[in-house]
Amino acid sequence: MNAMAQDGRAAVWAVVDSDIGPLLLAATDEGLVTVGFHATDTVRDKALDRLGSRLGTEPVHTPDSPLLTEPMRELGEYFAGERHDFGLPLDWSLVTGFNRQVLRELASGVPYGAVVGYGDLARRVGSPGAAQAVGLAMGANPLPIVVPCHRVVESDGGIGGFGGGLETKRHLLALEGVLPQPLF
């Protein structure tokens, strides 16, 4: 396969360094479609195979693609503490139904430096009692950091789970001033 899907959408990817380790970024002509944590060769290859299967096209390694320029810049600014809101176009094609509804609410309704409980987020989308389903939606989020699932915590004050690992979640929450910066 080439970089063009049957519907004409290009899919490109690159790995960028960040304060939390290498991130896999993938984009289509619709916008950023994937942010993947811990993008070692093995993790990256598995994620790209899954992404290619879902998009119907093989993503092409194109680190200088204009489709990735803005995501790279905005993520760099975020990690430098200079950006609190992302203005990126997003390709939501990997998310449907309840998960899409929850992730869109999270992206628009939980600002930098704030947190929300799983149950509170479920109520916001009209599904009180669906806290576990919200947790599953967070775990399936293809756009972490940009769609800030790290800002979703347990109602009893616990940090909750995180696909990128708890240390990554703590780092992101500390960056946003929610948790104190580690001493070491």
Side-chain angles (χ1 to χ4, degrees), residues 62-95:
T62 316
D64 59 348
S65 170
L67 298 174
L68 294 171
T69 301
E70 190 63 13
M72 287 180 193
R73 185 180 72 77
E74 289 195 18
L75 281 162
E77 292 171 352
Y78 171 81
F79 284 110
E82 300 165 355
R83 174 170 292 278
H84 295 180
D85 298 303
F86 291 98
L88 300 170
L90 302 177
D91 179 338
W92 291 96
S93 65
L94 300 180
V95 188

PDB file of all heavy atoms in Angstrom, residues 62-95:
ATOM      1  N   THR A  62       7.186  10.339   7.310  1.00  0.00           N
ATOM      2  CA  THR A  62       7.421  11.615   6.644  1.00  0.00           C
ATOM      3  C   THR A  62       7.552  12.709   7.709  1.00  0.00           C
ATOM      4  O   THR A  62       6.646  13.524   7.898  1.00  0.00           O
ATOM      5  CB  THR A  62       6.257  11.947   5.673  1.00  0.00           C
ATOM      6  OG1 THR A  62       5.907  10.787   4.939  1.00  0.00           O
ATOM      7  CG2 THR A  62       6.643  13.057   4.711  1.00  0.00           C
ATOM      8  N   PRO A  63       8.666  12.743   8.441  1.00  0.00           N
ATOM      9  CA  PRO A  63       8.795  13.688   9.550  1.00  0.00           C
ATOM     10  C   PRO A  63       8.735  15.155   9.138  1.00  0.00           C
ATOM     11  O   PRO A  63       8.403  16.010   9.959  1.00  0.00           O
ATOM     12  CB  PRO A  63      10.146  13.346  10.179  1.00  0.00           C
ATOM     13  CG  PRO A  63      10.833  12.441   9.234  1.00  0.00           C
ATOM     14  CD  PRO A  63       9.813  11.869   8.306  1.00  0.00           C
ATOM     15  N   ASP A  64       9.001  15.449   7.875  1.00  0.00           N
ATOM     16  CA  ASP A  64       8.946  16.838   7.426  1.00  0.00           C
ATOM     17  C   ASP A  64       7.620  17.182   6.742  1.00  0.00           C
ATOM     18  O   ASP A  64       7.482  18.242   6.132  1.00  0.00           O
ATOM     19  CB  ASP A  64      10.122  17.149   6.502  1.00  0.00           C
ATOM     20  CG  ASP A  64      10.160  16.258   5.266  1.00  0.00           C
ATOM     21  OD1 ASP A  64       9.413  15.257   5.222  1.00  0.00           O
ATOM     22  OD2 ASP A  64      10.938  16.568   4.348  1.00  0.00           O
ATOM     23  N   SER A  65       6.613  16.318   6.887  1.00  0.00           N
ATOM     24  CA  SER A  65       5.315  16.565   6.264  1.00  0.00           C
ATOM     25  C   SER A  65       4.645  17.795   6.873  1.00  0.00           C
ATOM     26  O   SER A  65       4.637  17.969   8.092  1.00  0.00           O
ATOM     27  CB  SER A  65       4.393  15.364   6.472  1.00  0.00           C
ATOM     28  OG  SER A  65       3.068  15.692   6.084  1.00  0.00           O
ATOM     29  N   PRO A  66       4.036  18.626   6.039  1.00  0.00           N
ATOM     30  CA  PRO A  66       3.268  19.754   6.564  1.00  0.00           C
ATOM     31  C   PRO A  66       2.124  19.304   7.482  1.00  0.00           C
ATOM     32  O   PRO A  66       1.689  20.074   8.337  1.00  0.00           O
ATOM     33  CB  PRO A  66       2.720  20.443   5.307  1.00  0.00           C
ATOM     34  CG  PRO A  66       3.543  19.946   4.175  1.00  0.00           C
ATOM     35  CD  PRO A  66       4.085  18.608   4.578  1.00  0.00           C
ATOM     36  N   LEU A  67       1.659  18.066   7.318  1.00  0.00           N
ATOM     37  CA  LEU A  67       0.593  17.558   8.180  1.00  0.00           C
ATOM     38  C   LEU A  67       1.066  17.379   9.629  1.00  0.00           C
ATOM     39  O   LEU A  67       0.244  17.346  10.548  1.00  0.00           O
ATOM     40  CB  LEU A  67       0.057  16.224   7.654  1.00  0.00           C
ATOM     41  CG  LEU A  67      -0.591  16.235   6.273  1.00  0.00           C
ATOM     42  CD1 LEU A  67      -0.932  14.817   5.836  1.00  0.00           C
ATOM     43  CD2 LEU A  67      -1.823  17.123   6.262  1.00  0.00           C
ATOM     44  N   LEU A  68       2.373  17.264   9.825  1.00  0.00           N
ATOM     45  CA  LEU A  68       2.928  17.047  11.164  1.00  0.00           C
ATOM     46  C   LEU A  68       3.597  18.289  11.747  1.00  0.00           C
ATOM     47  O   LEU A  68       3.891  18.328  12.936  1.00  0.00           O
ATOM     48  CB  LEU A  68       3.932  15.890  11.132  1.00  0.00           C
ATOM     49  CG  LEU A  68       3.335  14.522  10.811  1.00  0.00           C
ATOM     50  CD1 LEU A  68       4.442  13.502  10.581  1.00  0.00           C
ATOM     51  CD2 LEU A  68       2.398  14.070  11.916  1.00  0.00           C
ATOM     52  N   THR A  69       3.825  19.286  10.939  1.00  0.00           N
ATOM     53  CA  THR A  69       4.548  20.476  11.395  1.00  0.00           C
ATOM     54  C   THR A  69       3.872  21.134  12.590  1.00  0.00           C
ATOM     55  O   THR A  69       4.516  21.393  13.610  1.00  0.00           O
ATOM     56  CB  THR A  69       4.685  21.497  10.237  1.00  0.00           C
ATOM     57  OG1 THR A  69       5.376  20.864   9.163  1.00  0.00           O
ATOM     58  CG2 THR A  69       5.427  22.744  10.681  1.00  0.00           C
ATOM     59  N   GLU A  70       2.595  21.407  12.489  1.00  0.00           N
ATOM     60  CA  GLU A  70       1.884  22.092  13.574  1.00  0.00           C
ATOM     61  C   GLU A  70       1.741  21.211  14.820  1.00  0.00           C
ATOM     62  O   GLU A  70       1.970  21.702  15.927  1.00  0.00           O
ATOM     63  CB  GLU A  70       0.525  22.603  13.101  1.00  0.00           C
ATOM     64  CG  GLU A  70      -0.168  23.524  14.073  1.00  0.00           C
ATOM     65  CD  GLU A  70       0.580  24.829  14.351  1.00  0.00           C
ATOM     66  OE1 GLU A  70       1.522  25.184  13.634  1.00  0.00           O
ATOM     67  OE2 GLU A  70       0.211  25.517  15.321  1.00  0.00           O
ATOM     68  N   PRO A  71       1.384  19.931  14.680  1.00  0.00           N
ATOM     69  CA  PRO A  71       1.357  19.089  15.886  1.00  0.00           C
ATOM     70  C   PRO A  71       2.708  19.054  16.611  1.00  0.00           C
ATOM     71  O   PRO A  71       2.757  19.139  17.840  1.00  0.00           O
ATOM     72  CB  PRO A  71       0.965  17.706  15.360  1.00  0.00           C
ATOM     73  CG  PRO A  71       0.180  17.982  14.129  1.00  0.00           C
ATOM     74  CD  PRO A  71       0.832  19.199  13.526  1.00  0.00           C
ATOM     75  N   MET A  72       3.804  18.956  15.865  1.00  0.00           N
ATOM     76  CA  MET A  72       5.131  18.941  16.494  1.00  0.00           C
ATOM     77  C   MET A  72       5.401  20.259  17.223  1.00  0.00           C
ATOM     78  O   MET A  72       5.898  20.264  18.353  1.00  0.00           O
ATOM     79  CB  MET A  72       6.217  18.697  15.449  1.00  0.00           C
ATOM     80  CG  MET A  72       6.269  17.295  14.928  1.00  0.00           C
ATOM     81  SD  MET A  72       7.623  17.197  13.713  1.00  0.00           S
ATOM     82  CE  MET A  72       7.277  15.635  12.964  1.00  0.00           C
ATOM     83  N   ARG A  73       5.059  21.357  16.586  1.00  0.00           N
ATOM     84  CA  ARG A  73       5.298  22.666  17.188  1.00  0.00           C
ATOM     85  C   ARG A  73       4.467  22.840  18.455  1.00  0.00           C
ATOM     86  O   ARG A  73       4.976  23.239  19.505  1.00  0.00           O
ATOM     87  CB  ARG A  73       4.976  23.784  16.189  1.00  0.00           C
ATOM     88  CG  ARG A  73       5.317  25.190  16.714  1.00  0.00           C
ATOM     89  CD  ARG A  73       4.984  26.266  15.688  1.00  0.00           C
ATOM     90  NE  ARG A  73       3.555  26.450  15.544  1.00  0.00           N
ATOM     91  CZ  ARG A  73       2.789  27.108  16.420  1.00  0.00           C
ATOM     92  NH1 ARG A  73       3.295  27.625  17.508  1.00  0.00           N
ATOM     93  NH2 ARG A  73       1.495  27.227  16.197  1.00  0.00           N
ATOM     94  N   GLU A  74       3.170  22.525  18.384  1.00  0.00           N
ATOM     95  CA  GLU A  74       2.295  22.727  19.541  1.00  0.00           C
ATOM     96  C   GLU A  74       2.653  21.802  20.698  1.00  0.00           C
ATOM     97  O   GLU A  74       2.606  22.224  21.855  1.00  0.00           O
ATOM     98  CB  GLU A  74       0.824  22.582  19.133  1.00  0.00           C
ATOM     99  CG  GLU A  74       0.354  23.744  18.282  1.00  0.00           C
ATOM    100  CD  GLU A  74      -1.148  23.849  18.144  1.00  0.00           C
ATOM    101  OE1 GLU A  74      -1.882  23.251  18.959  1.00  0.00           O
ATOM    102  OE2 GLU A  74      -1.594  24.555  17.209  1.00  0.00           O
ATOM    103  N   LEU A  75       3.017  20.565  20.418  1.00  0.00           N
ATOM    104  CA  LEU A  75       3.438  19.669  21.501  1.00  0.00           C
ATOM    105  C   LEU A  75       4.738  20.159  22.138  1.00  0.00           C
ATOM    106  O   LEU A  75       4.898  20.107  23.356  1.00  0.00           O
ATOM    107  CB  LEU A  75       3.562  18.235  21.009  1.00  0.00           C
ATOM    108  CG  LEU A  75       2.233  17.511  20.892  1.00  0.00           C
ATOM    109  CD1 LEU A  75       2.352  16.279  20.014  1.00  0.00           C
ATOM    110  CD2 LEU A  75       1.689  17.143  22.261  1.00  0.00           C
ATOM    111  N   GLY A  76       5.661  20.650  21.325  1.00  0.00           N
ATOM    112  CA  GLY A  76       6.896  21.231  21.866  1.00  0.00           C
ATOM    113  C   GLY A  76       6.598  22.406  22.781  1.00  0.00           C
ATOM    114  O   GLY A  76       7.194  22.540  23.868  1.00  0.00           O
ATOM    115  N   GLU A  77       5.685  23.267  22.371  1.00  0.00           N
ATOM    116  CA  GLU A  77       5.291  24.412  23.202  1.00  0.00           C
ATOM    117  C   GLU A  77       4.606  23.951  24.487  1.00  0.00           C
ATOM    118  O   GLU A  77       4.820  24.535  25.553  1.00  0.00           O
ATOM    119  CB  GLU A  77       4.370  25.346  22.419  1.00  0.00           C
ATOM    120  CG  GLU A  77       5.067  26.060  21.283  1.00  0.00           C
ATOM    121  CD  GLU A  77       4.105  26.817  20.378  1.00  0.00           C
ATOM    122  OE1 GLU A  77       2.869  26.686  20.530  1.00  0.00           O
ATOM    123  OE2 GLU A  77       4.605  27.545  19.508  1.00  0.00           O
ATOM    124  N   TYR A  78       3.793  22.921  24.395  1.00  0.00           N
ATOM    125  CA  TYR A  78       3.121  22.381  25.578  1.00  0.00           C
ATOM    126  C   TYR A  78       4.154  21.902  26.597  1.00  0.00           C
ATOM    127  O   TYR A  78       4.099  22.257  27.773  1.00  0.00           O
ATOM    128  CB  TYR A  78       2.176  21.242  25.181  1.00  0.00           C
ATOM    129  CG  TYR A  78       1.614  20.484  26.368  1.00  0.00           C
ATOM    130  CD1 TYR A  78       0.537  20.984  27.087  1.00  0.00           C
ATOM    131  CD2 TYR A  78       2.168  19.281  26.767  1.00  0.00           C
ATOM    132  CE1 TYR A  78       0.023  20.293  28.182  1.00  0.00           C
ATOM    133  CE2 TYR A  78       1.666  18.586  27.850  1.00  0.00           C
ATOM    134  CZ  TYR A  78       0.595  19.096  28.563  1.00  0.00           C
ATOM    135  OH  TYR A  78       0.107  18.415  29.650  1.00  0.00           O
ATOM    136  N   PHE A  79       5.109  21.106  26.165  1.00  0.00           N
ATOM    137  CA  PHE A  79       6.114  20.581  27.083  1.00  0.00           C
ATOM    138  C   PHE A  79       7.040  21.673  27.617  1.00  0.00           C
ATOM    139  O   PHE A  79       7.601  21.535  28.699  1.00  0.00           O
ATOM    140  CB  PHE A  79       6.910  19.449  26.440  1.00  0.00           C
ATOM    141  CG  PHE A  79       6.140  18.165  26.389  1.00  0.00           C
ATOM    142  CD1 PHE A  79       5.694  17.656  25.181  1.00  0.00           C
ATOM    143  CD2 PHE A  79       5.839  17.472  27.548  1.00  0.00           C
ATOM    144  CE1 PHE A  79       4.966  16.476  25.129  1.00  0.00           C
ATOM    145  CE2 PHE A  79       5.109  16.290  27.507  1.00  0.00           C
ATOM    146  CZ  PHE A  79       4.675  15.796  26.308  1.00  0.00           C
ATOM    147  N   ALA A  80       7.177  22.778  26.878  1.00  0.00           N
ATOM    148  CA  ALA A  80       7.971  23.914  27.349  1.00  0.00           C
ATOM    149  C   ALA A  80       7.169  24.804  28.298  1.00  0.00           C
ATOM    150  O   ALA A  80       7.691  25.791  28.812  1.00  0.00           O
ATOM    151  CB  ALA A  80       8.469  24.734  26.159  1.00  0.00           C
ATOM    152  N   GLY A  81       5.899  24.469  28.538  1.00  0.00           N
ATOM    153  CA  GLY A  81       5.053  25.265  29.417  1.00  0.00           C
ATOM    154  C   GLY A  81       4.510  26.524  28.770  1.00  0.00           C
ATOM    155  O   GLY A  81       3.967  27.397  29.446  1.00  0.00           O
ATOM    156  N   GLU A  82       4.618  26.615  27.456  1.00  0.00           N
ATOM    157  CA  GLU A  82       4.207  27.814  26.731  1.00  0.00           C
ATOM    158  C   GLU A  82       2.822  27.694  26.097  1.00  0.00           C
ATOM    159  O   GLU A  82       2.290  28.676  25.599  1.00  0.00           O
ATOM    160  CB  GLU A  82       5.225  28.119  25.620  1.00  0.00           C
ATOM    161  CG  GLU A  82       6.618  28.359  26.149  1.00  0.00           C
ATOM    162  CD  GLU A  82       7.672  28.306  25.060  1.00  0.00           C
ATOM    163  OE1 GLU A  82       7.345  27.993  23.893  1.00  0.00           O
ATOM    164  OE2 GLU A  82       8.837  28.560  25.389  1.00  0.00           O
ATOM    165  N   ARG A  83       2.251  26.506  26.073  1.00  0.00           N
ATOM    166  CA  ARG A  83       0.951  26.293  25.436  1.00  0.00           C
ATOM    167  C   ARG A  83       0.023  25.585  26.402  1.00  0.00           C
ATOM    168  O   ARG A  83       0.379  24.574  26.982  1.00  0.00           O
ATOM    169  CB  ARG A  83       1.103  25.464  24.162  1.00  0.00           C
ATOM    170  CG  ARG A  83      -0.244  25.080  23.540  1.00  0.00           C
ATOM    171  CD  ARG A  83      -0.085  24.479  22.168  1.00  0.00           C
ATOM    172  NE  ARG A  83       0.391  25.449  21.204  1.00  0.00           N
ATOM    173  CZ  ARG A  83      -0.392  26.333  20.583  1.00  0.00           C
ATOM    174  NH1 ARG A  83      -1.674  26.370  20.820  1.00  0.00           N
ATOM    175  NH2 ARG A  83       0.122  27.179  19.716  1.00  0.00           N
ATOM    176  N   HIS A  84      -1.179  26.145  26.559  1.00  0.00           N
ATOM    177  CA  HIS A  84      -2.182  25.549  27.440  1.00  0.00           C
ATOM    178  C   HIS A  84      -3.361  24.981  26.677  1.00  0.00           C
ATOM    179  O   HIS A  84      -4.130  24.193  27.231  1.00  0.00           O
ATOM    180  CB  HIS A  84      -2.676  26.574  28.461  1.00  0.00           C
ATOM    181  CG  HIS A  84      -1.606  26.997  29.400  1.00  0.00           C
ATOM    182  ND1 HIS A  84      -1.815  27.911  30.393  1.00  0.00           N
ATOM    183  CD2 HIS A  84      -0.307  26.633  29.534  1.00  0.00           C
ATOM    184  CE1 HIS A  84      -0.707  28.097  31.083  1.00  0.00           C
ATOM    185  NE2 HIS A  84       0.225  27.330  30.564  1.00  0.00           N
ATOM    186  N   ASP A  85      -3.533  25.388  25.432  1.00  0.00           N
ATOM    187  CA  ASP A  85      -4.637  24.909  24.598  1.00  0.00           C
ATOM    188  C   ASP A  85      -4.085  24.515  23.236  1.00  0.00           C
ATOM    189  O   ASP A  85      -3.274  25.241  22.664  1.00  0.00           O
ATOM    190  CB  ASP A  85      -5.687  26.010  24.393  1.00  0.00           C
ATOM    191  CG  ASP A  85      -6.318  26.453  25.694  1.00  0.00           C
ATOM    192  OD1 ASP A  85      -6.880  25.598  26.396  1.00  0.00           O
ATOM    193  OD2 ASP A  85      -6.229  27.650  26.012  1.00  0.00           O
ATOM    194  N   PHE A  86      -4.545  23.384  22.743  1.00  0.00           N
ATOM    195  CA  PHE A  86      -4.140  22.950  21.407  1.00  0.00           C
ATOM    196  C   PHE A  86      -5.150  23.475  20.388  1.00  0.00           C
ATOM    197  O   PHE A  86      -6.349  23.452  20.621  1.00  0.00           O
ATOM    198  CB  PHE A  86      -4.075  21.423  21.338  1.00  0.00           C
ATOM    199  CG  PHE A  86      -2.942  20.856  22.145  1.00  0.00           C
ATOM    200  CD1 PHE A  86      -3.158  20.367  23.425  1.00  0.00           C
ATOM    201  CD2 PHE A  86      -1.651  20.818  21.637  1.00  0.00           C
ATOM    202  CE1 PHE A  86      -2.114  19.855  24.175  1.00  0.00           C
ATOM    203  CE2 PHE A  86      -0.603  20.313  22.382  1.00  0.00           C
ATOM    204  CZ  PHE A  86      -0.836  19.825  23.659  1.00  0.00           C
ATOM    205  N   GLY A  87      -4.636  23.946  19.269  1.00  0.00           N
ATOM    206  CA  GLY A  87      -5.493  24.450  18.201  1.00  0.00           C
ATOM    207  C   GLY A  87      -5.405  23.589  16.956  1.00  0.00           C
ATOM    208  O   GLY A  87      -5.604  24.083  15.854  1.00  0.00           O
ATOM    209  N   LEU A  88      -5.103  22.326  17.145  1.00  0.00           N
ATOM    210  CA  LEU A  88      -4.881  21.421  16.018  1.00  0.00           C
ATOM    211  C   LEU A  88      -6.173  20.879  15.438  1.00  0.00           C
ATOM    212  O   LEU A  88      -7.091  20.533  16.189  1.00  0.00           O
ATOM    213  CB  LEU A  88      -4.049  20.218  16.487  1.00  0.00           C
ATOM    214  CG  LEU A  88      -2.678  20.512  17.060  1.00  0.00           C
ATOM    215  CD1 LEU A  88      -2.091  19.254  17.694  1.00  0.00           C
ATOM    216  CD2 LEU A  88      -1.773  21.031  15.958  1.00  0.00           C
ATOM    217  N   PRO A  89      -6.236  20.719  14.122  1.00  0.00           N
ATOM    218  CA  PRO A  89      -7.342  19.935  13.563  1.00  0.00           C
ATOM    219  C   PRO A  89      -7.114  18.474  13.952  1.00  0.00           C
ATOM    220  O   PRO A  89      -5.977  17.988  13.947  1.00  0.00           O
ATOM    221  CB  PRO A  89      -7.215  20.141  12.054  1.00  0.00           C
ATOM    222  CG  PRO A  89      -5.801  20.578  11.822  1.00  0.00           C
ATOM    223  CD  PRO A  89      -5.338  21.233  13.085  1.00  0.00           C
ATOM    224  N   LEU A  90      -8.184  17.804  14.326  1.00  0.00           N
ATOM    225  CA  LEU A  90      -8.099  16.416  14.749  1.00  0.00           C
ATOM    226  C   LEU A  90      -8.909  15.532  13.812  1.00  0.00           C
ATOM    227  O   LEU A  90     -10.004  15.905  13.391  1.00  0.00           O
ATOM    228  CB  LEU A  90      -8.617  16.256  16.182  1.00  0.00           C
ATOM    229  CG  LEU A  90      -7.901  17.081  17.247  1.00  0.00           C
ATOM    230  CD1 LEU A  90      -8.560  16.875  18.613  1.00  0.00           C
ATOM    231  CD2 LEU A  90      -6.418  16.760  17.295  1.00  0.00           C
ATOM    232  N   ASP A  91      -8.372  14.374  13.511  1.00  0.00           N
ATOM    233  CA  ASP A  91      -9.083  13.364  12.734  1.00  0.00           C
ATOM    234  C   ASP A  91      -9.679  12.393  13.750  1.00  0.00           C
ATOM    235  O   ASP A  91      -8.966  11.636  14.389  1.00  0.00           O
ATOM    236  CB  ASP A  91      -8.104  12.650  11.799  1.00  0.00           C
ATOM    237  CG  ASP A  91      -8.762  11.568  10.960  1.00  0.00           C
ATOM    238  OD1 ASP A  91      -9.838  11.061  11.352  1.00  0.00           O
ATOM    239  OD2 ASP A  91      -8.173  11.199   9.926  1.00  0.00           O
ATOM    240  N   TRP A  92     -10.997  12.438  13.902  1.00  0.00           N
ATOM    241  CA  TRP A  92     -11.709  11.635  14.894  1.00  0.00           C
ATOM    242  C   TRP A  92     -12.133  10.273  14.343  1.00  0.00           C
ATOM    243  O   TRP A  92     -12.913   9.555  14.976  1.00  0.00           O
ATOM    244  CB  TRP A  92     -12.949  12.386  15.384  1.00  0.00           C
ATOM    245  CG  TRP A  92     -12.634  13.589  16.206  1.00  0.00           C
ATOM    246  CD1 TRP A  92     -12.559  14.882  15.776  1.00  0.00           C
ATOM    247  CD2 TRP A  92     -12.372  13.632  17.612  1.00  0.00           C
ATOM    248  NE1 TRP A  92     -12.257  15.718  16.824  1.00  0.00           N
ATOM    249  CE2 TRP A  92     -12.145  14.979  17.969  1.00  0.00           C
ATOM    250  CE3 TRP A  92     -12.303  12.649  18.611  1.00  0.00           C
ATOM    251  CZ2 TRP A  92     -11.850  15.367  19.264  1.00  0.00           C
ATOM    252  CZ3 TRP A  92     -12.007  13.037  19.909  1.00  0.00           C
ATOM    253  CH2 TRP A  92     -11.784  14.389  20.227  1.00  0.00           C
ATOM    254  N   SER A  93     -11.626   9.884  13.187  1.00  0.00           N
ATOM    255  CA  SER A  93     -12.118   8.675  12.524  1.00  0.00           C
ATOM    256  C   SER A  93     -11.839   7.378  13.285  1.00  0.00           C
ATOM    257  O   SER A  93     -12.489   6.369  13.017  1.00  0.00           O
ATOM    258  CB  SER A  93     -11.554   8.570  11.103  1.00  0.00           C
ATOM    259  OG  SER A  93     -10.148   8.399  11.130  1.00  0.00           O
ATOM    260  N   LEU A  94     -10.924   7.378  14.235  1.00  0.00           N
ATOM    261  CA  LEU A  94     -10.633   6.164  15.003  1.00  0.00           C
ATOM    262  C   LEU A  94     -11.528   6.001  16.219  1.00  0.00           C
ATOM    263  O   LEU A  94     -11.409   5.021  16.952  1.00  0.00           O
ATOM    264  CB  LEU A  94      -9.164   6.156  15.452  1.00  0.00           C
ATOM    265  CG  LEU A  94      -8.115   6.206  14.345  1.00  0.00           C
ATOM    266  CD1 LEU A  94      -6.719   6.196  14.952  1.00  0.00           C
ATOM    267  CD2 LEU A  94      -8.295   5.065  13.359  1.00  0.00           C
ATOM    268  N   VAL A  95     -12.418   6.972  16.445  1.00  0.00           N
ATOM    269  CA  VAL A  95     -13.263   6.964  17.645  1.00  0.00           C
ATOM    270  C   VAL A  95     -14.716   7.142  17.224  1.00  0.00           C
ATOM    271  O   VAL A  95     -15.034   8.004  16.417  1.00  0.00           O
ATOM    272  CB  VAL A  95     -12.872   8.120  18.591  1.00  0.00           C
ATOM    273  CG1 VAL A  95     -13.596   8.009  19.913  1.00  0.00           C
ATOM    274  CG2 VAL A  95     -11.372   8.175  18.819  1.00  0.00           C
TER     275      VAL A  95
END
